[in-house]
């Protein structure tokens, strides 16, 4: 009888142990939101959301151009010394050089830190890159794997915030971060 009770207790303990070690619910990792279009499309859509904004067309930057002029264009537009952390970039600027306005959109490479790229862009772009004019309102916003840099001259009755709001509308969510 004692053996039978011992066997039943062992069986009950084994059953409870197996029940406790059963299949656990799948742990989900938060996914990084993604914007599916090109950076040229993103920049044009953002600009279209700001009706009083600058009328232009976005241009894709050639990130493979390693000539002196190509590297200068990339640095002048993005503020980045290297393209290793980005895979796509577009610039949306006024065709008239005396208007202090620039919007740049970049897709950050997988494994790179979007906020670090944004900070490097903000530190690397010169708000006085135009002759005789300068931007006095600068913001950078990120959403998942995309970063938008915007700088404007508030004398144009524009604000960087209006472009950040348009960015949020186009990507379909609040920015992951915003730098002023």
């Amino acid at each position: 009888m004692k053996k039978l009770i011992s066997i039943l207790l062992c069986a009950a303990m084994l059953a409870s142990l197996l029940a406790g070690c059963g299949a656990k619910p799948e742990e989900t990792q938060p996914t990084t939101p993604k914007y599916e279009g090109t950076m040229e499309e993103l920049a044009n859509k953002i600009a279209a959301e700001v009706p009083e904004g600058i009328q232009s067309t976005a241009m894709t930057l050639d990130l493979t151009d390693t000539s002196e002029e190509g590297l200068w264009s990339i640095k002048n537009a993005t503020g980045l010394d290297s393209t290793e952390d980005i895979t796509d970039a577009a610039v949306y600027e006024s065709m008239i050089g005396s208007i202090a306005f620039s919007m740049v959109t970049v897709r950050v490479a997988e494994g790179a830190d979007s906020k670090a790229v944004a900070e490097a862009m903000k530190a690397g772009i010169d708000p006085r890159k135009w002759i005789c004019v300068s931007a006095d309102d600068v913001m950078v916003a990120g959403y998942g794997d995309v970063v938008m840099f915007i700088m404007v001259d508030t004398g144009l009755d524009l604000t960087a915030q209006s472009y950040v709001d348009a960015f949020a509308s186009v990507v379909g969510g609040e920015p992951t971060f915003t730098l002023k």
Side-chain angles (χ1 to χ4, degrees):
M1 185 72 166
K2 288 182 181 179
K3 283 186 179 182
L4 181 60
I5 292 174
S6 294
I7 290 173
L8 288 174
L9 283 174
C10 285
M13 287 174 41
L14 183 60
S16 68
L17 180 64
L18 290 175
C21 294
K24 294 181 181 173
E26 246 184 69
E27 291 182 25
T28 57
Q29 293 292 330
T31 57
T32 301
K34 301 220 184 267
Y35 175 77
E36 297 300 327
T38 68
M39 294 302 94
E40 183 176 334
E41 293 167 340
L42 176 60
N44 284 325
K45 287 178 181 178
I46 293 167
E49 289 277 322
V50 183
E52 72 281 358
I54 300 296
Q55 300 302 311
S56 187
T57 280
M59 296 185 320
T60 298
L61 292 171
D62 182 359
L63 301 180
T64 64
D65 185 354
T66 58
S67 70
E68 187 176 331
E69 184 179 328
L71 294 174
W72 179 87
S73 291
I74 292 166
K75 172 70 175 173
N76 186 51
T78 68
L80 300 173
D81 293 319
S82 162
T83 60
E84 68 186 34
D85 288 336
I86 60 174
T87 61
D88 186 12
V91 61
Y92 187 100
E93 292 184 335
S94 170
M95 295 299 176
I96 300 170
S98 61
I99 295 177
F101 172 88
S102 181
M103 177 175 52
V104 181
T105 54
V106 300
R107 182 173 311 278
V108 178
E110 191 171 327
D113 181 357
S114 295
K115 192 168 184 182
V117 169
E119 288 168 344
M121 289 174 71
K122 188 171 185 296
I125 294 179
D126 181 7
R128 295 194 49 82
K129 69 181 187 175
W130 302 276
I131 297 171
C132 300
V133 295
S134 67
D136 58 354
D137 190 6
V138 177
M139 291 180 78
V140 190
Y143 179 80
D145 65 339
V146 294
V147 172
M148 180 203 65
F149 174 90
I150 180 73
M151 64 179 167
V152 300
D153 175 0
T154 54
L156 300 171
D157 292 330
L158 295 174
T159 65
Q161 185 63 53
S162 64
Y163 284 87
V164 171
D165 294 344
F167 173 73
S169 173
V170 171
V171 298
E174 286 301 310
T176 312
F177 61 84
T178 304
L179 308 173
K180 294 182 179 189

